[in-house]
Amino acid sequence: FGGFSRCLYPVQKFQSDTERKLAIILERESQKWFKPALGQFQIFYKSGVDQKEYQPDFVAESSDAIHLLEPKRESEMNAPDVLAKRDAAVQWCKHASQHALSCGGKLWSYALIPHDAIAENVTLKALTCRFECTPA
């Protein structure tokens, strides 16, 4: 898909229609957004005995924060790997926020969003307020 003006890349691939709908929301409401490549954030989580790298599906900048966004099928929301990725991303955002605030930057947040909550008429603010995950 192409034709984006706020995306950092001119063309994007989506793994699902839910991702496409989220991109429409981000294109309408974020300052900038993109789908990161593996290795771009270096977020690692434990999966059994392995240490795996996690790549969030979307990154979007709003006027007050930078958001890592992960749309996920409702039935997968409590899967062990999904929760491990969530916990790793929340900690990463905590450290990134501490650093950013010390340099005059924006807070970082992570939102794990069930697929059935994403619709083209929903706002980015509503999604992040409702589904933002905070450190334990």
Side-chain angles (χ1 to χ4, degrees):
F1 291 87
F4 301 113
S5 62
R6 295 182 183 191
C7 183
L8 300 182
Y9 304 106
V11 177
Q12 289 293 319
K13 284 175 133 180
F14 303 115
Q15 302 298 321
S16 66
D17 194 48
T18 300
E19 284 190 4
R20 183 192 63 79
K21 288 177 187 175
L22 184 54
I24 289 169
I25 295 166
L26 299 180
E27 184 67 17
R28 182 182 66 227
E29 299 188 13
S30 68
Q31 293 175 339
K32 302 178 259 199
W33 69 274
F34 69 104
K35 291 179 62 68
L38 194 60
Q40 204 155 1
F41 284 93
Q42 297 186 8
I43 300 171
F44 295 93
Y45 69 100
K46 194 162 177 77
S47 177
V49 296
D50 296 325
Q51 191 80 355
K52 294 185 176 181
E53 187 170 358
Y54 170 50
Q55 168 191 328
D57 284 342
F58 291 88
V59 178
E61 183 174 2
S62 64
S63 60
D64 60 344
I66 301 172
H67 310 279
L68 302 183
L69 305 167
E70 182 70 30
K72 190 59 68 182
R73 179 171 293 286
E74 173 67 39
S75 62
E76 298 172 355
M77 291 289 286
N78 292 311
D81 274 2
V82 171
L83 298 177
K85 290 174 186 179
R86 177 202 65 195
D87 293 345
V90 167
Q91 282 303 313
W92 190 94
C93 286
K94 177 182 173 185
H95 296 301
S97 290
Q98 289 169 348
H99 175 72
L101 292 176
S102 74
C103 302
K106 295 179 180 181
L107 289 172
W108 287 76
S109 74
Y110 178 77
L112 179 60
I113 309 166
H115 79 284
D116 54 2
I118 297 172
E120 291 180 29
N121 65 340
V122 175
T123 66
L124 175 59
K125 182 118 179 126
L127 289 172
T128 56
C129 285
R130 186 171 174 200
F131 298 107
E132 181 179 349
C133 303
T134 56

